[in-house]
Each structure stands twice: as C-alpha cells, then as structure tokens.
C-alpha cells in the first residue's frame, strides 16, 4: 500500500500516530467525560458504542474518535442487528439510508481544491461499486456537505475527519468535517489519501461503523479496547473470513495510506446497498 506525506511518515516514526478517526479523545480532551452525564454515557453504551472518551460537541457527542451521535441517535431504539463478516468485521448501525435506489448529493463548502478533487474521487469509488445508492457531486446544498475545520495534533493523535450516522427516517448524516490543519495531510496534501478519509466518513454517513470496533487497537495501536456490542445482535455473512480484516476502509485509524474498499468491504457494501 502506498504511503503518502513524507513529513507524516517521519512524524509517525517518532511515535505520533495519525488516524482517520481521532483515536484517543481522552488524551485530546482530558476532561471531556466529565461534561457528559452518566445517563447519556449509559445510552451510548447501550447502543454498543464505547462510553470512553466521549466528548460533547455542537450537534451531539463525539464517540470512538470521529463519530457524532446526535440526540436522535441516542434515543432511537436499537432494532437491527450489526453486520459482521469477519472477526475484525464490517459493522453497520441501526439506521441505514432508506428509499433505495437513491441518489445522495454531495457538496464541498469552503475547502481547498485538493479536498474538492478528493471528494470527486471518493464519490467515483462508491459509484464504481454499482450500489443502490449513488453519490452525485453538486455545487452547494448537498445532502452531505463537506466542510473544514482546523485542529492540530493533541495527545499524539490528530483528527483527519468526522461525521455521523443516518437518521431514523433513513437520510444519510448530513455533514462531514475535514481537518485542514497542516499536520493532518501535510503542506502538499495527496488527493488520494484525502479521498480515502472522505470515503471513510461517507461510510459512517450511510451507516458503517468501524470495522475494528471490537478492538480499536487493531488499527490504532495501544491497549486492547473492545467497544462492546450490548443489546445488538450480529450476522455473519457466510463465506467471508473470520480472521482479522486488514486494510478495511472502515478501520478506526488510518495508517497514512490511501485505503479504499477491500474485498470484504465490497461484500458489506453490496449486502447493505
Ligand atoms: Zn471513523
């Protein structure tokens, strides 16, 4: 797999890890947990998400590093099983995008050209799968709007992007935030790498959880961290491997490379859409 950003490679070699999903919000936001009520943490946990390092944000709660759970997410009943196709598996959320076949428009607001190009690349990668959802680039007002934020590294990690999950009414999550900080993608960002991060955040928007949610250490390093699956079932797709699933586009943390769909991701995409 191709590696990008020699500066980031150097940084990685000096123990900073850069991830598609800020790995350890606890380190980044030391007092975050205290801002969130125990009742909310219990709801987050009951939906099968890690209640560790939860951070209150404008439109909900940031969990598992890069996922925003809205109040609607937290109050929605959990009726559907997770989707599991391997031991380090593809997982889905309770809500999926409904009304298939469906075209989901995507816009980019106030971001440098490379992010715009990367968005088109990510859209093409999805559309090449011939799913029942198609993404379509629009100039503004897309069903998913991609905006920027600027946040430097903290606690040894940097957030590359964040997004959320579909609504209970079956619409995709409406916003992806991409980090424009120079330490996120370097001073000369690689469009392919950014595309892979947008691809990952789009995955959340249509209902994908982290492939390694059972153990974030698989992609993020550090200690074993089982994010739990309380209250939800699991479906194994026959014929898929039960060993660790390397290079899934939905691994919690990036290795700094352009990580697109692997074979199991394609199976999961076709299973859901
Ligand atoms: Zn993620």
């Amino acid at each position: 797999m191709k590696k990008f950003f020699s500066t980031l490679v150097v940084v990685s070699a000096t123990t900073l890890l850069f991830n598609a999903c800020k790995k350890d919000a606890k380190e980044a936001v030391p007092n975050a947990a205290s801002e969130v009520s125990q009742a909310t943490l219990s709801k987050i946990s009951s939906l099968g998400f890690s209640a560790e390092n939860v951070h209150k944000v404008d439109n909900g709660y940031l969990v598992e590093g890069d996922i925003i759970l809205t109040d609607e997410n937290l109050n929605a009943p959990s009726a559907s099983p997770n989707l599991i196709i391997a031991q380090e598996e593809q997982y889905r959320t309770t809500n999926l995008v409904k009304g298939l076949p469906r075209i989901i428009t995507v816009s980019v607001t106030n971001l440098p050209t490379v992010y715009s190009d990367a968005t088109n690349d990510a859209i093409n990668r999805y559309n090449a799968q011939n799913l029942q959802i198609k993404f379509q680039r629009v100039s503004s007002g897309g069903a998913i709007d991609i905006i920027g934020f600027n946040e430097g590294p903290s606690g040894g990690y940097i957030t590359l992007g964040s997004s959320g999950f579909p609504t209970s009414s079956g619409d995709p999550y409406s916003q992806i935030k991409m980090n424009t900080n120079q330490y996120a993608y370097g001073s000369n960002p690689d469009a392919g790498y950014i595309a892979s991060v947008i691809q990952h955040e789009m995955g959340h928007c249509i209902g994908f959880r982290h492939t390694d949610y059972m153990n974030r250490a698989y992609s993020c390093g550090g200690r074993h961290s089982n994010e739990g699956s309380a209250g939800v079932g699991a479906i194994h797709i026959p014929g898929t491997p039960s060993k660790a699933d390397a290079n899934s586009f939905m691994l919690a943390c990036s290795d700094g490379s352009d990580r697109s769909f692997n074979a199991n991701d394609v199976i999961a995409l076709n299973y859901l859409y």
Side-chain angles (χ1 to χ4, degrees):
M1 192 175 288
K2 193 175 171 186
K3 286 258 187 187
F4 299 101
F5 315 139
S6 56
T7 48
L8 290 194
V9 172
V10 170
V11 171
S12 296
T14 56
T15 73
L16 276 185
L17 292 177
F18 287 78
N19 48 3
C21 317
K22 180 160 55 182
K23 176 199 158 195
D24 196 337
K26 186 175 185 179
E27 290 174 358
V29 189
N31 299 314
S34 63
E35 302 170 11
V36 182
S37 73
Q38 193 58 50
T40 298
L41 292 175
S42 294
K43 284 183 183 176
I44 291 170
S45 182
S46 71
L47 288 174
F49 293 92
S50 173
E52 286 188 40
N53 308 330
V54 175
H55 177 38
K56 181 79 180 81
V57 293
D58 286 348
N59 44 350
Y61 300 89
L62 188 70
V63 305
E64 299 184 9
D66 76 326
I67 299 164
I68 293 169
L69 292 181
T70 63
D71 285 333
E72 188 207 70
N73 290 144
L74 294 181
N75 294 319
S78 180
S80 301
N82 285 345
L83 168 64
I84 298 182
I85 68 170
Q87 192 170 351
E88 303 285 348
E89 302 98 346
Q90 281 68 8
Y91 291 87
R92 52 158 286 187
T93 58
T94 300
N95 299 328
L96 291 174
V97 175
K98 297 174 185 170
L100 308 179
R102 179 161 171 176
I103 293 173
I104 299 171
T105 54
V106 181
S107 53
V108 176
T109 301
N110 293 330
L111 278 169
T113 303
V114 66
Y115 290 80
S116 177
D117 293 343
T119 298
N120 292 337
D121 190 359
I123 287 172
N124 290 339
R125 293 179 188 188
Y126 276 96
N127 289 348
Q129 299 302 320
N130 291 314
L131 306 172
Q132 290 195 76
I133 51 171
K134 295 281 186 197
F135 293 96
Q136 180 181 29
R137 180 68 188 271
V138 294
S139 58
S140 64
I144 298 173
D145 189 38
I146 302 177
I147 66 172
F149 70 102
N150 189 329
E151 182 184 277
S154 180
Y157 298 94
I158 189 164
T159 301
L160 296 178
S162 68
S163 60
F165 291 133
T167 66
S168 58
S169 56
D171 292 320
Y173 191 74
S174 61
Q175 185 181 73
I176 292 172
K177 296 175 76 172
M178 295 293 290
N179 199 350
T180 57
N181 188 274
Q182 62 170 321
Y183 293 109
Y185 301 101
S187 56
N188 185 24
D190 183 281
Y193 180 44
I194 295 177
S196 72
V197 176
I198 292 174
Q199 195 176 350
H200 175 105
E201 303 306 338
M202 288 169 73
H204 286 314
C205 290
I206 62 172
F208 274 89
R209 289 191 56 177
H210 289 142
T211 301
D212 53 347
Y213 104 120
M214 293 299 286
N215 180 14
R216 293 170 60 78
Y218 181 69
S219 68
C220 298
R223 66 184 177 82
H224 182 100
S225 175
N226 185 335
E227 295 175 346
S229 59
V232 290
I235 298 173
H236 176 259
I237 298 182
T240 57
S242 58
K243 59 185 172 61
D245 191 13
N247 301 322
S248 168
F249 84 120
M250 290 310 295
L251 287 174
C253 286
S254 169
D255 60 1
S257 66
D258 179 356
R259 192 159 57 193
S260 189
F261 305 127
N262 72 7
N264 292 325
D265 296 330
V266 170
I267 291 170
L269 279 165
N270 280 279
Y271 181 86
L272 296 180
Y273 294 109

